[in-house]
Amino acid sequence: MPRTSFISNFKQLPLAFLLALCVIIGIERYVGSRITPDFFNHEVDHLLRLLDTRRFKSDYLLIGDSVALQLYRQFQKDPRFDDLATNQAVETTGHYFLVRRYLEKNPLPKVVIFTGLPFHFRDLRQVYTENFVLRTFTNTQEIIDVFQARLNPAMTAKMIAYKTSPSYKFRLKLQKELVDFSNSDVYSGVDLAVRPAELGNYSVLNILSDELPRKTTGIVHFRELLGYLEQKGIDLYYIPAPVQMQDRDNQHAIAHEELISSILPQLQEEFANFHYYSELAEFDSKWFADGVHFTPEGLYLGEEYLRKRIEPIVGKTQTFSLAE
């Protein structure tokens, strides 16, 4: 009798699994239908939503980090420029995916301009990587690209989970909204009001640990970006952002030297559409609010610096002048 009962229960397992699967699918569909734009909780979320819901047309596509976002402000009213600059946590991988999403739905620009601090060519190992890359860039091809570059099954599994499960993707936001709890506000993106003491927390060890000369994920995806643009006849210009002058251990200068001594020259030899400025401008510390981002007065100098380097790029196709 017990044996018969066990066999009977065992036969019902497939039905139980099927019912559980249906319940999970139902919950996920319900959660997905309830997600509103306010659940897109940091700048990368908002940028991707913008790319999904709007159409763009420009001659010059701007990409880069939050420092670039400051410097690009001068072009906001100029219809020739579209700005996709965002948090540096997306690394080169995120910039590649942003450009590809942009080009898939919009007319081709003439040029892509890449500006920022020399920390883009990293290996998706930052504390913010999961929230700003794995959780946000979940198109099928993006998942494949990350897997091929990192060969990390756990990372791939997370991206698939984020793609298929709205309750998982927005779990930290839901925790915050529903029960006022979050494992980490900064990690979750719920509260990204950066405090001055936390800004510019880039250590030399972090830079060196990325081993820039080797083929990191960032370099792999930057090479793929250049090849993708080359196929479409689009040039890319890399312009280093000005950095704070330091007496010693200038982490920005160290990382920049690694780039221009080996990585960038090799890429320029490989791709005819790639161009870069080798100089790194160093400004007095008084022009920086936190060692990385500019004060209002410093921003004026930074904008002038960038404008002088963009003028020749734009001048190849038309007379350069900022739109009023």
Side-chain angles (χ1 to χ4, degrees):
M1 185 71 175
R3 181 177 177 82
T4 303
S5 177
F6 172 79
I7 294 174
S8 176
N9 291 336
F10 182 79
K11 289 181 177 179
Q12 294 178 16
L13 281 178
L15 178 61
F17 281 125
L18 180 60
L19 289 174
L21 181 62
C22 290
V23 170
I24 292 172
I25 292 174
I27 292 174
E28 294 300 336
R29 289 178 63 88
Y30 173 77
V31 172
S33 69
R34 304 292 293 182
I35 297 298
T36 57
D38 65 307
F39 271 81
F40 293 79
N41 48 355
H42 57 59
E43 62 265 43
V44 180
D45 280 324
H46 287 289
L47 184 56
L48 292 177
R49 180 174 175 79
L50 201 62
L51 287 174
D52 284 339
T53 57
R54 279 186 53 186
R55 294 298 172 264
F56 300 86
K57 183 179 180 181
S58 68
D59 292 331
Y60 305 96
L61 180 60
L62 307 174
I63 61 175
D65 57 19
S66 58
V67 176
L69 190 60
Q70 277 191 297
L71 298 173
Y72 291 156
R73 185 187 65 176
Q74 60 187 310
F75 305 116
Q76 285 180 351
K77 296 181 180 180
D78 193 325
R80 294 171 299 172
F81 295 87
D82 279 331
D83 181 5
L84 297 184
T86 188
N87 194 292
Q88 66 86 22
V90 303
E91 303 181 24
T92 311
T93 297
H95 296 309
Y96 172 39
F97 294 161
L98 285 169
V99 170
R100 194 164 62 188
R101 288 196 186 197
Y102 178 96
L103 297 185
E104 285 172 352
K105 295 184 178 181
N106 301 289
L108 301 182
K110 296 176 181 177
V111 170
V112 173
I113 298 173
F114 187 2
T115 301
L117 301 177
F119 298 114
H120 304 282
F121 303 88
R122 307 180 80 165
D123 212 23
L124 298 181
R125 298 178 189 274
Q126 297 187 72
V127 66
Y128 301 111
T129 293
E130 181 170 349
N131 191 32
F132 282 83
V133 179
L134 306 186
R135 190 183 66 80
T136 54
F137 296 101
T138 54
N139 287 350
T140 301
Q141 188 58 52
E142 293 165 352
I143 296 174
I144 293 173
D145 288 339
V146 170
F147 174 74
Q148 290 176 335
R150 284 297 309 273
L151 298 177
N152 185 320
M155 182 177 286
T156 304
K158 282 185 176 182
M159 295 183 76
I160 294 173
Y162 283 129
K163 179 180 179 65
T164 57
S165 173
S167 63
Y168 180 63
K169 181 172 185 175
F170 296 102
R171 67 193 186 283
L172 298 175
K173 177 72 172 180
L174 289 167
Q175 289 173 0
K176 186 69 176 178
E177 293 291 324
L178 299 179
V179 295
D180 195 27
F181 166 79
S182 176
N183 292 330
S184 168
D185 285 345
V186 174
Y187 169 81
S188 68
V190 173
D191 178 14
L192 284 179
V194 186
R195 289 163 286 280
E198 296 174 347
L199 283 168
N201 185 26
Y202 307 101
S203 72
V204 177
L205 290 177
N206 284 339
I207 300 169
L208 297 179
S209 67
D210 281 342
E211 301 176 44
L212 287 172
R214 71 181 175 87
K215 292 183 178 179
T216 64
T217 303
I219 296 171
V220 169
H221 286 153
F222 191 59
R223 179 175 279 107
E224 291 183 6
L225 171 60
L226 291 173
Y228 180 71
L229 294 175
E230 188 175 49
Q231 291 176 357
K232 298 180 179 297
I234 302 172
D235 283 1
L236 185 146
Y237 289 81
Y238 175 69
I239 306 174
V243 301
Q244 177 176 301
M245 186 181 299
Q246 297 179 8
D247 294 332
R248 60 180 182 177
D249 294 336
N250 190 329
Q251 51 198 340
H252 305 98
I254 294 172
H256 179 73
E257 183 61 31
E258 292 282 359
L259 290 177
I260 65 171
S261 64
S262 59
I263 298 172
L264 299 188
Q266 292 173 11
L267 291 173
Q268 192 173 54
E269 288 183 6
E270 186 176 350
F271 298 97
N273 64 323
F274 177 52
H275 320 274
Y276 67 94
Y277 284 86
S278 59
E279 82 228 67
L280 180 67
E282 296 184 76
F283 289 1
D284 191 279
S285 60
K286 68 181 180 180
W287 303 123
F288 294 88
D290 50 40
V292 176
H293 301 90
F294 296 100
T295 64
E297 298 79 11
L299 182 57
Y300 175 81
L301 297 176
E303 288 177 337
E304 183 180 23
Y305 169 87
L306 181 64
R307 185 165 58 250
K308 287 182 178 179
R309 279 143 190 82
I310 289 182
E311 283 176 353
I313 299 172
V314 177
K316 290 182 178 180
T317 56
Q318 56 187 285
T319 301
F320 180 88
S321 62
L322 287 179
E324 296 298 332

